[in-house]
Amino acid sequence: MRNIREICASLAVAAFALCSCTTAVLADDDFPPLEDVIDGYEEISAPTRGNEEISPFMQLWKRDSDGQMLAELPKNYTSSKHREFIATTIAGGEEYAGLQNDNLYVYWRKYGKRVALIAENLDIRGSDDESKSSVGRIFTDTVLLDLPILCMGPNGGPVIDLDSMLVGNANTFLSPDFMGSFSPYFPRTSLLKIKTAKVFENNIEVAFEAPMSDGTLKTMHFSISQIEGSDGYKPRMADQRVGYFTTSYADYGQYDGDDSRVRYINRWHLEKRDDDLQLSPPVKPIVFYIEHTTPVRYRRWVRDGILSWNRAFEEVGILNAIEVRQQDQETGLHMDKDPEDVQYNFVRWLNNNISTAIGPSRVNPKTGEILDADIVLTDGWIRTFEGQFTQLMPETAMQGMTDETKAWFATHPNWDPRVRLAHPSDREFIRRSIAIEAAQAHSPDTLRTRMMGDEPWDGLIGRSSQMNGGCTAAEGRQMDVALMRMTMAFMRMQDEEESDEESEGEEEEEKDEEQMLDGMPESFIGPLLADLVAHEVGHTLGLRHNFKASALYTMAEMNSEEIKGNEPFTASVMDYNPTNFNFESGEIQGDYAMIGIGEYDMWAIEYGYTLEGELDDILERCNEPALQFGTDEDTGGPDPLARRYDFSKNPLDFAENQIRMAQHHRGNIIEKFVEEGDSWDKARQGYLVTLSLQTRATGMMANWIGGTFVHRNKKGDPEERAPLEVVPVDDQRKALEFVLQNSMYDEAFGLTPELLIYMTNSAWRDRRGRDEAAWPVHDRIMSTQASTLSQLLNPTVLRRVYDNEFRIPADQDALTMVELVNTVTNAVWSELDDLPNGNFTERSPAMSSLRRNLQTEYLDRLFDLANEEGSGMAAMKPISDIATMTLKDLNGKLEAAVGQDNLDAYSRAHLMDSQERIEKWLESLYVVGNGSGGGGGMPLSFLLGEEPEGNR
């Protein structure tokens, strides 16, 4: 019987080989000899371990003369367990050179004399044999490319043309839309140069330089390694109450529960070296190398920011979980390590004059284990603040805008702050770009970000995952540094004045000189940098943004002896915390920046990295004030505390502090900010800094109108807190009053003829920009006020106010939509009540030019709201009705005002035009249909109770 089985088995093997001759394993003699293929190539040797030679992950051969490179695939490349991690970086030739690019999780399959590189489908899986089989048949893997086998290598693996695979298929491996660059990569391979070729036991590191189609030389770095999870690593489930990036998949074998999505948090594998010790070093610490490009003067602060997280790991029993090494070109220390190499985690410094900081990481796509991280810091935020009106201001004004609001802006571009705050020559282009973007579907599933986790909102650079989002923490720092430079100019002038007042015979008291770094006190810029680094390190540890953390303390508490130098002034370094400038908001000047990490950070690390205890016990603390969590997707929601760049337990205190500072600095621009020998364009720069402060403050408080606090707790959590809580009506009214007082009235902008005649632009052509020498005051102020109106009266805000009326019991006070519209109307048209008592001329008009512009803009907004049809929003009908009623009420007031005989010509013409526009609009309105489906119409005047003209 045994012989029969053996004979049958042999026959089966022979038959299979005969029938599958095109795909069967070919003998070595079916390929050219290895020696012929690698003739003229240099073999890349692997480093030794002591006296022991190590076996490289892949064998490489290179030919420097024409940039050719061959590689032998690992011998076990066809094993079902063999998976490779291809990590890419543009290492040179881009402003963000060194920032992690795309990553692929792949395996190889042999087809006759060719091999195919295949991306495994990991988005949908099965949890039992039946579902695995079904899912595998339906949701198949993807062939990325295929290559000819040149010959068989010395270790038994196929030899392939590696440069052809990587550079010839650059767009397969590199994201063409990375960091806003929409140009695909088209290298000119005829001019290829090998920059790096290294082999190691577990990975290879290769880099090629080639000109792109536009001639720009770019260096493309590819890191290829076998991905193997750490022994003993256990995935940890994600929870909505604490913010981690996630690696997730749909389990189609799961029928129990409302959600078939399995979500693991992204985290490093950390374990104690000695389990018996309460505080033990880790088996393998997380090691960061500070790149040699980091300025020596800033290295200690970068180091402090990295190591600040060790405090959190000590709480879970791990000592020195994070270590820091300094790469140094002068001594050669660690210069043998490539920052792009997946074996090393680097903090990189780019001198590109851009304000950016980002901390991406790569993860095992099956478990969420973090494998590699590189932080990129750029230098632009430390330099002088320029051009922010057309760059940062639109981003600031868009904070809190939802997709619903942006859809409205797409069809009403004059509402869009991105259009209104742009330079006039750019507005049409931006309008068209927004319209095109609005017409396109945005699906995070289209991005190749599997190796970086798949959370669609991460707050890093783009739409999805840690590779594509927008960490703008450094941009906020840029404004703060500009404000500090401005403050220091005032301080220098103050010191000079005090020195001049001292009597000649008095001896001056010696003062300890503050260490200055790039024109700023180290005690200011150093902690800001450490804080920024700590924020990005938090991302590399798996943590997402927490934009509710800044609401822990009041301004007075932050600027007190109890807090300063003793504890962080917010709950998390993962917020976008503004710099703490105290202007009459506390007894002392507190810490400018976060000192270390906050209580939320400690709690989040405890959940993600604790080695002992129940996770449920940790999560039970979620209702504590210091542990509130709201992240990127929450910033477009109704919660006013989930906002970037807000500050304080009572943000109105912070907003008022910002306005006081703006007014003070604005009043001293001519005398103290522009110093002897300075160009007068500095006056314009100084004013724009104060205008940015003012606009950021009003935009922040506009978010409180119609707001609802959102809590992420679950049923059964302590206190049984409801997930939604309408913002108290008094807080909404105070916020509304603050916004109107600091944006709608001329006095809010502090513009005087004396200041305006000095607000010129630079005489240097390369710094002048596109504005003419005389600052376009009417256009710029109108743009700012138009953006504020968009923040107050866009349909989303009006809907939220209207919905909140329904959430609040009828016997309780609430801010109504009628009250909101009436309050804004009264502020915009306040002069109508005072016209009878004035004595006006063209030089002293009843309504200033700025106010006339604002009133015209406001009428346009009411027309848009009243005209809206087919939006699909249930609240749009009452919104339209209230806008129509407001226009009719205004028409009556304007009719009375036009009859005043004491008006100046400007105001009279403006009022006449405004009234005529409203009347013509009202006359044009008809209600189509009379209930029978016919086409008859009924004049709006009849519906409003007016007597038909024929009966008067």
Side-chain angles (χ1 to χ4, degrees), residues 50-71:
N51 295 324
E52 177 189 356
E53 291 187 5
I54 64 171
S55 177
F57 172 62
M58 287 185 184
Q59 184 62 61
L60 296 183
W61 298 267
K62 68 173 183 174
R63 191 168 66 200
D64 288 326
S65 60
D66 56 359
Q68 300 300 298
M69 188 178 295
L70 306 178

Side-chain angles (χ1 to χ4, degrees), residues 486 666 669 673 681-691:
M486 198 172 184
R666 193 175 284 165
I669 287 174
F673 181 55
D681 69 288
K682 194 174 178 182
R684 182 188 289 195
Q685 294 176 28
Y687 181 80
L688 291 180
V689 170
T690 66
L691 185 59

Side-chain angles (χ1 to χ4, degrees), residues 587-616:
E587 58 191 31
I588 61 170
Q589 171 59 59
D591 296 318
Y592 288 113
M594 281 276 285
I595 305 300
I597 61 174
E599 191 171 344
Y600 167 85
D601 305 320
M602 303 281 290
W603 178 65
I605 291 297
E606 183 184 11
Y607 176 77
Y609 290 88
T610 187
L611 304 174
E612 301 171 356
E614 293 292 331
L615 296 181
D616 288 342

